[in-house]
Amino acid sequence: MVRQTAVIMLVFWVCSARPVEAQTVATLTGGFSASGGIKVDAEGNIFVADFGPNFSTPGTNLFKITPDGNVSTFSTGLLGGTGGGFDSRGNLFWSSFGANRVDRIDENGNATFFVDLNSPVAIAVDNDDNLFVASCSRNTIIRITPEGESSAFPTSSLINCANGLTFDDQGNLYVSNFNDGRVNRVSSEGVFTAFATVPGNNSVNLAFNDGFIYVTVRAAHAIYRIPVDGNNQPELFAGQPNVRGNDDGPALQATFSFPNSIGVSPDGTKLYVNDVVATSNTFHPSVLREITLGNPTSVDESSGEIPIDFVLEQNYPNPFNPTTNIRYELRANSRVLLSVYNTVGERVRVLVDELQTAGAKMVVWNGRDDAEKMQSSGIYVYRVQIEGRSASKKMLFLK
């Protein structure tokens, strides 16, 4: 019998709950021509393009790597493949830097022309299936409709060789500069702001996962991460800055060699980075590195029971002072435990501990603990767990 009960807990989750030292790096493949961009499909297959052995000699292949590391050639129709992206229907789009175009690639690997663009690199796709394509040489971002029509997109003097693109879960677009290490944030209204600057002056590609922007820093042989809420201070995530190698192991003991692109597994528990073999004087050969995160928001279905669906919304307002609303929806009558934890993992407040009927719910937190003592400013994160399924969101309290 499937149990029709659930537990929803709002618990602490920030960097200190999942320290960088707990992450591990492993080499997933042998050397191959994986010098271009990375994109991961819904089944967990990793697609990596061949940019070429250097900046002036374009490669033609797009490779497909299974989650267990088997490499095959998926398409041969690119020319200097850089960034790629999937739309909501599973269509794959890829930039050909050497041919000044973006191609659409079908499920059999056949590449067909989609649109002309000058020096396209990274691609990000929004919820409406619009493509956003970075152009390094033009210091611009081009927005392309699903029908292939280019549309106006704001530009900014903050762009300095736009190279990496990614969206966060709030619809903000992030743009990395190849030339100065800056990462810029673009609001849904098209307003540019300087978000952060990573050490090494050479931010290459970006990926968003579970509240962080991950940045490959090619010249520094390292990977940094930046929280999207609160303090936008870059943190060394993997590698040893300015130490070149392909050593596996704990994230801060591993080494990288000109890391280029970065992708995220569908469940958010792994990152993939392509990395030049340390003994090579060109971009060939490269290896695919796998970083295991142990993401606490992944699904655990080992119990064999069917989890009950639920919806947890972002608190509003966020940041907040002195109160914020937390909304969620239960799809079945469920036992609900809502708790708030601080940044050292201590439980601050139990908001709800009762059986609730199905439907939309809201609870207010006033920034106080169980003894009604006002808490200090900082990040507090709530997490939802239902029959082995979990999800978490952060909230920022500013006094």
Side-chain angles (χ1 to χ4, degrees):
M1 173 181 288
V2 177
R3 268 189 320 204
Q4 298 296 309
T5 59
V7 178
I8 300 181
M9 293 184 296
L10 290 137
V11 299
F12 158 77
W13 183 90
V14 292
C15 297
S16 58
R18 204 175 80 194
V20 169
E21 291 80 356
Q23 323 311 324
T24 58
V25 180
T27 302
L28 188 62
T29 70
F32 65 114
S33 303
S35 55
I38 291 177
K39 190 57 62 174
V40 186
D41 70 12
E43 286 71 44
N45 298 299
I46 308 106
F47 293 82
V48 187
D50 178 13
F51 176 74
N54 50 53
F55 286 112
S56 59
T57 308
T60 60
N61 291 329
L62 178 65
F63 299 97
K64 180 179 179 180
I65 301 95
T66 62
D68 56 1
N70 291 323
V71 180
S72 61
T73 300
F74 181 69
S75 178
T76 59
L78 303 179
L79 192 66
T82 46
F86 287 94
D87 67 11
S88 63
R89 294 165 291 182
N91 296 311
L92 177 59
F93 299 87
W94 216 280
S95 296
S96 282
F97 182 86
N100 294 313
R101 71 173 190 258
V102 173
D103 292 328
R104 180 161 44 200
I105 305 173
D106 67 21
E107 60 184 8
N108 298 314
N110 299 310
T112 57
F113 170 82
F114 182 62
V115 68
D116 283 314
L117 279 180
N118 187 18
S119 304
V121 279
I123 295 176
V125 185
D126 69 10
N127 292 332
D128 296 319
D129 285 342
N130 295 300
L131 270 62
F132 291 75
V133 186
S135 174
C136 174
S137 63
R138 296 174 59 186
N139 282 327
T140 58
I141 301 167
I142 311 300
R143 179 169 53 197
I144 307 168
T145 67
E147 294 74 32
E149 298 178 357
S150 297
S151 58
F153 188 78
T155 189
S156 171
S157 60
L158 294 172
I159 299 178
N160 190 356
C161 183
N163 198 78
L165 297 174
T166 193
F167 282 99
D168 67 13
D169 54 5
Q170 301 300 309
N172 298 302
L173 179 66
Y174 296 80
V175 186
S176 62
N177 289 346
F178 186 81
N179 288 340
D180 61 14
R182 183 187 295 123
V183 177
N184 303 303
R185 178 158 58 188
V186 190
S187 70
S188 57
E189 293 78 25
V191 178
F192 279 78
T193 56
F195 177 64
T197 299
V198 294
N201 296 323
N202 189 208
S203 57
V204 183
N205 278 296
L206 306 173
F208 171 76
N209 184 47
D210 208 11
F212 290 94
I213 300 295
Y214 291 84
V215 188
T216 56
V217 186
R218 183 178 182 276
H221 310 300
I223 299 165
Y224 284 78
R225 69 179 182 182
I226 312 164
V228 298
D229 295 326
N231 180 17
N232 302 336
Q233 183 63 39
E235 174 192 22
L236 178 64
F237 174 72
Q240 301 178 44
N242 304 313
V243 177
R244 184 182 178 188
N246 304 122
D247 299 309
D248 293 337
L252 296 180
Q253 298 177 27
T255 56
F256 289 82
S257 171
F258 296 109
N260 181 49
S261 192
I262 187 166
V264 184
S265 66
D267 62 2
T269 64
K270 294 179 181 179
L271 302 177
Y272 300 101
V273 176
N274 54 335
D275 202 28
V276 178
V277 170
T279 56
S280 176
N281 293 321
T282 70
F283 303 159
H284 289 171
S286 295
V287 291
L288 188 64
R289 314 291 295 281
E290 178 185 83
I291 306 176
T292 301
L293 301 175
N295 192 328
T297 63
S298 62
V299 177
D300 178 7
E301 297 178 332
S302 59
S303 67
E305 296 177 339
I306 301 174
I308 301 169
D309 288 340
F310 61 92
V311 176
L312 176 67
E313 299 180 6
Q314 184 67 50
N315 65 298
Y316 181 83
N318 188 38
F320 66 95
N321 178 24
T323 64
T324 189
N325 302 320
I326 300 169
R327 299 176 185 273
Y328 55 96
E329 182 179 352
L330 303 177
R331 302 290 174 79
N333 297 347
S334 307
R335 181 74 187 183
V336 179
L337 172 64
L338 276 69
S339 301
V340 179
Y341 286 69
N342 63 20
T343 56
V344 294
E346 300 169 335
R347 189 167 67 183
V348 172
R349 184 73 179 258
V350 176
L351 298 175
V352 179
D353 186 4
E354 62 184 16
L355 180 66
Q356 294 188 327
T357 58
K361 311 293 179 182
M362 186 186 77
V363 64
V364 177
W365 185 44
N366 61 2
R368 297 178 181 272
D369 64 11
D370 285 327
E372 291 300 321
K373 179 181 179 181
M374 181 63 69
Q375 298 301 288
S376 60
S377 297
I379 296 175
Y380 298 83
V381 176
Y382 49 100
R383 184 182 178 194
V384 179
Q385 287 183 315
I386 297 180
E387 300 294 346
R389 186 186 297 271
S390 63
S392 59
K393 294 180 183 294
K394 295 186 293 183
M395 53 185 173
L396 180 60
F397 181 30
L398 294 178
K399 295 199 308 185

